[in-house]
Amino acid sequence: MNDFNLGTLIKDHRKKAGLTQLELANLAGVGKTTVFDIEKNKETIRFNNLLAVLKVLNIKVEFISPLNK
Amino acid sequence: MNDFNLGTLIKDHRKKAGLTQLELANLAGVGKTTVFDIEKNKETIRFNNLLAVLKVLNIKVEFISPLNK
DNA sequence: GTATTTTTACCGCCTAAACAGTATAAAATG
DNA sequence: CATTTTATACTGTTTAGGCGGTAAAAATAC
């Protein structure tokens, strides 16, 4: 369970959008190394860089907790 | 719309858990400055540090996109 | 098959995140 | 009220993420 892979999710969306890593990086305003690291599931990246990449790919982030309403 | 505030969400959950910033930081294995920054919505924090804090508070992250299944 | 594109990987440099310590302001407690 | 705890803010140091450049490996196109 919970073998969710953020890197793969982003890579799939990037492919479907017809973008290379470099193109995605430029659109998101981050370096190509960052996109590469994200797709390799490196979690020490900065949160704002991840958000920038997700925004380009139209992926939204939601935070779920038992207390949420 | 979308005035969602991650810092406030985390702060509320921390309060309900009866934790101080320092206690939460220690439990998450991060510095107290990081917890403070997260609650102040500083987005340049590292993703793994945010995940560590969310885990302690039992908050899950979901990524939503039009392509998801 | 070869040529081209893309991905993966590594390299130094620079910047800023992360940290502990400290100090003050604010909040909570008695 | 005073006292204690917590949150906020600042500082100096250390560490590593981010970056472009480069190069080799892999995938794709011709």
Side-chain angles (χ1 to χ4, degrees):
Chain A
M1 64 175 181
N2 205 11
D3 50 7
F4 169 71
N5 193 317
L6 178 59
T8 301
L9 175 71
I10 290 180
K11 186 168 187 174
D12 289 346
H13 279 71
R14 175 175 63 78
K15 291 286 191 184
K16 287 178 181 172
L19 297 173
T20 67
Q21 288 181 338
L22 184 58
E23 288 170 336
L24 176 56
N26 290 337
L27 286 172
V30 302
K32 65 189 190 316
T33 308
T34 297
V35 171
F36 174 74
D37 288 344
I38 290 176
E39 293 190 356
K40 283 292 173 183
N41 293 299
K42 188 177 178 187
E43 291 186 337
T44 50
I45 52 160
R46 289 184 194 148
F47 186 47
N48 60 325
N49 284 345
L50 174 60
L51 290 178
V53 170
L54 291 174
K55 190 166 190 174
V56 171
L57 298 176
N58 199 26
I59 302 173
K60 296 200 185 309
V61 186
E62 281 194 5
F63 300 94
I64 315 292
S65 92
L67 286 66
N68 277 354
K69 183 171 300 143
Chain B
M1 61 174 183
N2 204 13
D3 50 6
F4 169 72
N5 192 317
L6 178 59
T8 301
L9 174 71
I10 291 180
K11 185 168 188 173
D12 289 346
H13 278 70
R14 175 175 62 79
K15 291 287 191 184
K16 286 178 182 174
L19 296 172
T20 66
Q21 288 181 337
L22 183 58
E23 288 170 337
L24 175 56
N26 290 337
L27 285 172
V30 303
K32 66 189 189 316
T33 308
T34 297
V35 171
F36 174 74
D37 288 344
I38 290 176
E39 293 190 354
K40 284 291 175 183
N41 293 300
K42 188 178 179 186
E43 291 186 337
T44 50
I45 52 159
R46 287 183 195 149
F47 186 48
N48 61 326
N49 284 343
L50 174 59
L51 290 179
V53 170
L54 291 174
K55 190 167 190 175
V56 171
L57 298 175
N58 199 27
I59 301 173
K60 296 200 185 309
V61 186
E62 281 193 6
F63 300 94
I64 315 292
S65 91
L67 284 68
N68 275 355
K69 185 173 307 143

